[in-house]
Amino acid sequence: MSARQLTLALSKGRIFEETLPLLAAAGIEVLEDPEKSRKLILPTNRPDVRVVLVRASDVPTYVQYGGADLGVCGKDTLLEHEAEWGGAGNVGLYQPLDLGIARCRMSVAVRADFDYARAVRQGARLKVATKYVAIARDFFASKGVHVDLIKLYGSMELAPLTGLADAIVDLVSTGNTLKANHLVEVERIMDISSRLVVNQGALKVKREALRPILDAFARASQPQGVAA
Ligand code: AMP
């Protein structure tokens, strides 16, 4: 692929939808709706720019290895990816921008009838189910709380209801999912938003093609603070 061709990795759903206005600000329009098409490579109005649809947790991998030049993924996904590689320094992804999109928070939730504060005070060993093992491990270690982490890939809300775990660590947006499952949020671990990540090689070789897009994204995004 030529030094002018750019591939952008996105995941379907909230990140895709909320990246569209940023792409529009860069003069880029995706020509197919991923909800209506089965295609994984979507053309844009620019012959030199295409979008590839991947799982959210695969975005950093695609960009790291150069399967995509740039991508958008949540801070949660990035932190878990970096932990797998033993730290951000080993991953080599350039993270120029907090885009301020797909905002939510990472929280601890328990059954409404579970006295979390008391269990923590008494130094109980907690069983915590989560997809976000690295974030959960760091958080409870920083609090000095002993936990047994149980890795799940989805439907975390079910874990405290079935006795699999005392608590979960999950993303919360409106809080409706917790409420519907009689769970309550007891700790807010961190605010989450999506970041732009860029392949470091592409940044050098495709700088001219990337620059206007990075500039347009920076102008159009509303970060919730300085990118971590
Ligand atoms: P809510 O009911 O609005 O609090 O949304 C919670 C559910 O949506 C949980 O299952 C989360 O895993 C998921 N969720 C919420 N926000 C996001 C996000 N920004 N990215 C990915 N998943 C999310």
Side-chain angles (χ1 to χ4, degrees):
M1 189 157 287
S2 87
R4 298 176 63 85
Q5 279 286 334
L6 288 178
T7 301
L8 167 67
L10 295 176
S11 54
K12 273 206 227 182
R14 222 176 133 182
I15 286 181
F16 182 86
E17 298 301 329
E18 295 187 26
T19 302
L20 290 182
L22 302 178
L23 286 170
I28 299 167
E29 190 193 338
V30 182
L31 298 178
E32 285 192 50
D33 178 353
E35 299 304 331
K36 292 188 186 141
S37 155
R38 285 176 167 276
K39 281 189 190 165
L40 297 175
I41 300 180
L42 306 179
T44 74
N45 62 329
R46 292 246 312 254
D48 59 332
V49 180
R50 63 182 187 167
V51 169
V52 291
L53 294 174
V54 302
R55 271 184 83 115
S57 52
D58 290 335
V59 168
T61 306
Y62 267 84
V63 178
Q64 182 177 337
Y65 286 106
D69 301 298
L70 67 173
V72 177
C73 64
K75 183 179 175 184
D76 51 315
T77 306
L78 263 177
L79 289 175
E80 293 296 322
H81 181 79
E82 287 168 359
E84 252 175 59
W85 283 78
N90 300 332
V91 174
L93 283 175
Y94 176 58
Q95 295 179 45
L97 285 175
D98 174 357
L99 300 173
I101 60 169
R103 290 183 192 212
C104 57
R105 55 194 184 271
M106 186 70 74
S107 294
V108 181
V110 298
R111 269 168 63 143
D113 59 2
F114 181 78
D115 193 342
Y116 173 80
R118 184 158 167 235
V120 168
R121 229 179 14 249
Q122 292 181 338
R125 198 174 179 91
L126 293 179
K127 283 189 289 177
V128 178
T130 188
K131 189 163 124 187
Y132 309 98
V133 173
I135 292 172
R137 184 181 295 117
D138 281 358
F139 174 70
F140 288 109
S142 73
K143 280 178 67 83
V145 174
H146 295 289
V147 290
D148 289 321
L149 292 172
I150 301 166
K151 168 95 186 186
L152 289 179
Y153 292 89
S155 302
M156 262 89 78
E157 301 82 17
L158 210 48
L161 306 178
T162 54
L164 180 70
D166 303 309
I168 60 169
V169 166
D170 195 9
L171 295 174
V172 180
S173 181
T174 61
N176 290 340
T177 305
L178 293 181
K179 212 169 178 181
N181 291 291
H182 310 290
L183 301 177
V184 289
E185 194 176 353
V186 285
E187 300 234 43
R188 191 175 177 135
I189 299 178
M190 65 176 74
D191 289 329
I192 299 286
S193 56
S194 287
R195 317 285 156 124
L196 184 69
V197 290
V198 183
N199 176 276
Q200 285 189 334
L203 197 64
K204 294 192 190 102
V205 180
K206 302 187 180 183
R207 179 171 284 276
E208 264 177 57
L210 280 168
R211 197 73 264 169
I213 296 177
L214 265 51
D215 289 345
F217 272 38
R219 279 195 303 273
S221 62
Q222 300 143 13
Q224 61 181 13
V226 177

